[in-house]
Amino acid sequence: MCCEVLFALRHWVLSNSSAFIWTSAAAIIMFRSELCLFLGLLLLSDLLFGRLSVKTLIKHGGAAGFVWLSATVLVDSLFWKRWLWPEGVVLFYNTVLNKSSNWGTSPFLWYFYSALPRTLLCAIPLSVMGLVIDKKMWTLFMPAVGFVLLYSFLPHKELRFIIYVIPVFNAIAGRGLAHVRTLFSAGLRKREIKSIIVGAVIIGLLVASFMTSLGFLYTSHYNYPGGVAFHKMHQLAAHQKDSPIRVHVDVYAAQTGVSRFSQLFPSWNYSKVEDLTLDQKMEFDYLIAEADMEGILGETHQVVERVAGFSGFKFETVWTFLPLPRLLFTPRVVVLKSRFIL
């Protein structure tokens, strides 16, 4: 999906309006409807500054809308066996019905104080530098920030909803980095202490950003305890693969790695039905559940596997002076097996 957005941004930067409209329409209509905010702001800026005429917009926008909408409706309706426009359904669910908040809500400014800083890291100061030294970068910056701001009105927030602006901020940061490189090279030739210090600081930030990203990468693979538990259950019950086993997966496990692709045994019945009573859950042979279910269903089910997940970190002093982070883990998901099956 990000590739489609990058294609659209490329055409926008090159002032290829017709190609920008066609690629934007494909991204919005077929893949992610919320992109109408981001790419729509870019389109609006072209109209306001005279880089795009209304005639061209109507001509290519109408044609692209008809082609891509027809394509997605025909193809997806074939797979779903009913007439529908998938992204239209998603847009209606998330915005008109506002039911995405059922999956949790975050504060209005969460994207700005949490998601973007953790994702961009040292690209933030470099972006600021890029905006200061090159006013053209503001034409990229304003639509991206506007998109994040508009999307902040939706209570349910996830980084993946605004991931499309990350390449934009990185491009602006690249402009700032190019300026730092020029300063640093000139400083080395002329032996200017100020320029050398600035360059050294930026290099240090890049190294720190890289090491932090490696840390995030390592930590992130502990964020899917549901998938790990599901995999371990199949390993433990491989001798029952041909038996009519009933498995229930709760919401948390389904959100942390369990998918239909990991359902390995055709003879098993997998259920993700929500809001079951305890009596209904007792009827299943295996349960993939949150850790607190261990004590609740202890009379009918036994724990055969516990899977820990990342819960935070704390700093510990090493060598009496160097504070280093230590990852913390707590039990997140358990595999419960009925006491009445072998």
Side-chain angles (χ1 to χ4, degrees):
M1 184 59 259
C2 280
C3 291
E4 185 70 23
V5 178
L6 289 176
F7 277 123
L9 289 173
R10 175 181 180 273
H11 293 306
W12 183 77
V13 170
L14 296 175
S15 299
N16 189 346
S17 298
S18 58
F20 171 66
I21 292 172
W22 278 87
T23 50
S24 296
I28 294 168
I29 294 173
M30 294 199 298
F31 298 109
R32 299 297 299 185
S33 56
E34 71 267 16
L35 283 170
C36 64
L37 297 176
F38 180 35
L39 300 175
L41 287 173
L42 295 175
L43 198 66
L44 181 61
S45 69
D46 280 353
L47 285 172
L48 292 176
F49 291 103
R51 293 191 293 265
L52 173 66
S53 66
V54 176
K55 180 181 178 180
T56 302
L57 173 60
I58 295 175
K59 175 184 175 182
H60 289 282
F66 175 79
V67 169
W68 298 130
L69 184 59
S70 299
T72 185
V73 169
L74 290 174
V75 174
D76 289 302
S77 297
L78 178 65
F79 284 105
W80 285 93
K81 301 187 186 321
R82 61 187 176 92
W83 289 102
L84 86 161
W85 170 32
E87 277 308 301
V89 174
V90 173
L91 184 66
F92 183 77
Y93 181 90
N94 287 337
T95 57
V96 179
L97 299 180
N98 194 27
K99 286 191 176 182
S100 62
S101 58
N102 293 342
W103 302 99
T105 60
S106 299
F108 182 82
L109 295 176
W110 181 80
Y111 286 130
F112 293 97
Y113 71 74
S114 180
L116 287 176
R118 285 186 288 113
T119 306
L120 294 172
L121 299 176
C122 82
I124 293 178
L126 289 173
S127 296
V128 173
M129 185 174 295
L131 291 171
V132 171
I133 65 173
D134 192 343
K135 303 304 180 184
K136 294 179 181 178
M137 294 295 103
W138 285 90
T139 60
L140 279 171
F141 178 76
M142 292 306 295
V145 172
F147 168 66
V148 177
L149 184 63
L150 289 173
Y151 222 91
S152 296
F153 285 96
L154 195 67
H156 178 62
K157 296 176 175 64
E158 295 182 38
L159 174 61
R160 64 188 179 94
F161 294 160
I162 63 159
I163 198 71
Y164 322 105
V165 303
I166 303 303
V168 174
F169 288 121
N170 283 335
I172 299 171
R175 182 65 184 90
L177 184 60
H179 180 67
V180 170
R181 180 181 179 278
T182 302
L183 283 178
F184 188 62
S185 299
L188 287 176
R189 290 195 303 269
K190 300 178 182 180
R191 296 184 180 180
E192 294 179 352
I193 300 299
K194 181 180 178 181
S195 298
I196 294 175
I197 292 176
V198 170
V201 169
I202 296 300
I203 292 173
L205 286 174
L206 288 174
V207 172
S209 181
F210 177 73
M211 297 303 296
T212 304
S213 296
L214 288 180
F216 286 163
L217 178 63
Y218 174 75
T219 304
S220 66
H221 86 281
Y222 289 104
N223 288 336
Y224 302 95
V228 174
F230 203 57
H231 175 68
K232 289 182 177 294
M233 177 198 67
H234 284 93
Q235 289 181 321
L236 293 170
H239 63 286
Q240 299 172 301
K241 64 179 181 180
D242 297 321
S243 303
I245 298 296
R246 299 185 63 203
V247 180
H248 182 264
V249 178
D250 75 359
V251 174
Y252 180 75
Q255 290 177 329
T256 55
V258 175
S259 72
R260 294 188 65 181
F261 296 104
S262 52
Q263 297 178 6
L264 301 181
F265 303 148
S267 59
W268 286 21
N269 178 270
Y270 299 91
S271 172
K272 295 181 182 177
V273 177
E274 300 178 27
D275 302 321
L276 295 181
T277 64
L278 287 179
D279 289 337
Q280 289 173 319
K281 290 183 178 181
M282 290 178 183
E283 297 175 1
F284 288 90
D285 300 307
Y286 285 93
L287 296 167
I288 310 296
E290 288 191 70
D292 57 6
M293 291 298 293
E294 178 178 344
I296 299 175
L297 293 173
E299 293 184 2
T300 59
H301 289 72
Q302 59 182 331
V303 177
V304 294
E305 191 69 44
R306 294 182 181 87
V307 178
F310 175 70
S311 61
F313 67 91
K314 68 176 183 179
F315 285 96
E316 292 186 345
T317 302
V318 179
W319 301 321
T320 70
F321 69 91
L322 181 63
L324 291 176
R326 183 171 72 88
L327 302 182
L328 303 177
F329 302 95
T330 56
R332 295 292 190 184
V333 177
V334 292
V335 179
L336 298 170
K337 178 183 176 181
S338 173
R339 297 182 184 272
F340 306 108
I341 64 171
L342 297 177

